[in-house]
Amino acid sequence: MIIYFSGTGNSLVIARQLSERLDEPLLSLYDAAAQDLTQEKRVGLVFPTYDFNLPPAVRMLVGRLKLSPKAYVFAVITCGGQAGNCVWTLRRMLREKGVELAYSHKVRVPDNSALAFGRNPNNQLKKLDRVPARMNLIVSELQAKKHVLHYSSWSLLAWIMGQPKLEKGMIRMLGPKVDSERCIGCNTCVRVCPQENIVLKDGKALIGDNCTACLSCVHFCPQQALQTNGRPTRKDRQYHHPEIRLKDLLRRG
């Protein structure tokens, strides 16, 4: 079983490749958290790193997973550069369930959060050129059922960034805000939000208090009506993985 969380498609593409090459079914983390997976002998978790750690939604959903202590559990983390404390945090959470993390690795991809700092994620597309070689390595090690945790070192900076008050503050500061003058109530953000945290009110998008900072709404809004860090969104800076389309990430019809 390959389980994924993805905001703009980077992790979904990696999860699809693992599903195909390892001949394992593919399931979103939201759906997996609602199922009994204790009969699965191999479980892979694919997700991005946010602020040097697991995204808030991933931590919440991993806490709900029902896994067998005998399962070979592995993680593949997508990130712009550093995996931070993702492996360390995931290992700790799984151990609380009596499950051991057997393997971990990372894949570097364009950083969709660059938009919040005024940078263009599309200028990082060259990172994708190195993905095939990294995936070949990961798949070969998984097929051999290796037990090794790559990029598992604990980071003080990641620990600090993960403190609840600071993390919430970062989401409030860098997370999406609605530009009501541009919003036309098209419902795209409502449908693409993995947390179901956005609703329409009086024909305008309204963001709730359960944002996980995936920025999917920002990158897919056809009107560029979602801002980050107080910055207007430019169409040429909206990003999604080249192999992914909006329909691939919709959770609701």
Side-chain angles (χ1 to χ4, degrees):
M1 177 70 69
I2 306 298
I3 301 169
Y4 71 91
F5 173 87
S6 190
T8 53
N10 289 326
S11 294
L12 176 53
V13 168
I14 299 302
R16 282 178 172 176
Q17 292 181 20
L18 289 171
S19 173
E20 293 171 2
R21 297 178 66 174
L22 297 175
D23 193 25
E24 291 281 358
L26 184 66
L27 200 63
S28 78
L29 185 52
Y30 289 90
D31 292 332
Q35 298 187 21
D36 185 346
L37 303 178
T38 54
Q39 299 304 310
E40 297 293 334
K41 296 181 180 180
R42 179 168 59 182
V43 177
L45 299 167
V46 185
F47 55 86
T49 175
Y50 292 172
D51 296 326
F52 305 106
N53 217 322
L54 278 68
V58 173
R59 293 200 304 273
M60 173 191 71
L61 294 165
V62 166
R64 298 177 184 175
L65 289 177
K66 301 178 182 67
L67 304 172
S68 168
K70 298 180 180 180
Y72 177 82
V73 180
F74 66 90
V76 177
I77 299 155
T78 60
C79 57
Q82 301 298 320
N85 273 2
C86 280
V87 177
W88 185 87
T89 300
L90 180 61
R91 185 185 189 191
R92 175 180 55 79
M93 293 185 68
L94 291 175
R95 280 183 168 176
E96 291 174 357
K97 297 174 173 292
V99 176
E100 197 64 37
L101 182 65
Y103 179 89
S104 66
H105 221 308
K106 75 174 183 179
V107 178
R108 292 189 66 192
V109 293
D111 179 6
N112 65 5
S113 68
L115 186 70
F117 300 96
R119 300 195 300 269
N120 190 342
N122 295 293
N123 290 338
Q124 303 177 27
L125 291 176
K126 284 190 174 295
K127 290 180 181 178
L128 299 179
D129 295 340
R130 300 181 180 181
V131 171
R134 177 56 59 90
M135 289 300 294
N136 286 339
L137 171 63
I138 290 172
V139 169
S140 66
E141 292 188 336
L142 291 175
Q143 288 173 333
K145 289 189 175 180
K146 284 198 172 183
H147 285 67
V148 56
L149 300 180
H150 299 285
Y151 304 103
S152 60
S153 300
W154 182 82
S155 163
L156 176 60
L157 174 61
W159 181 83
I160 293 173
M161 295 289 289
Q163 296 305 297
K165 288 185 178 180
L166 182 57
E167 182 180 69
K168 290 180 180 179
M170 290 289 290
I171 291 176
R172 283 195 299 268
M173 181 176 69
L174 301 177
K177 304 289 189 302
V178 180
D179 182 344
S180 59
E181 293 185 2
R182 297 185 69 93
C183 178
I184 62 171
C186 70
N187 213 41
T188 299
C189 59
V190 175
R191 298 173 64 203
V192 80
C193 176
Q195 289 285 87
E196 298 187 351
N197 187 51
I198 306 177
V199 298
L200 290 185
K201 184 176 182 181
D202 300 325
K204 302 291 183 180
L206 179 65
I207 300 174
D209 297 325
N210 199 28
C211 180
T212 196
C214 72
L215 302 187
S216 184
C217 59
V218 177
H219 287 283
F220 281 102
C221 176
Q223 299 299 123
Q224 296 79 51
L226 280 298
Q227 301 180 353
T228 53
N229 200 13
R231 301 173 184 272
T233 301
R234 287 171 40 180
K235 185 175 182 178
D236 67 320
R237 293 187 177 183
Q238 287 178 305
Y239 168 83
H240 58 78
H241 192 283
E243 296 179 23
I244 293 298
R245 297 294 177 265
L246 173 64
K247 65 181 181 179
D248 297 314
L249 294 167
L250 294 179
R251 294 196 64 229
R252 287 186 276 180

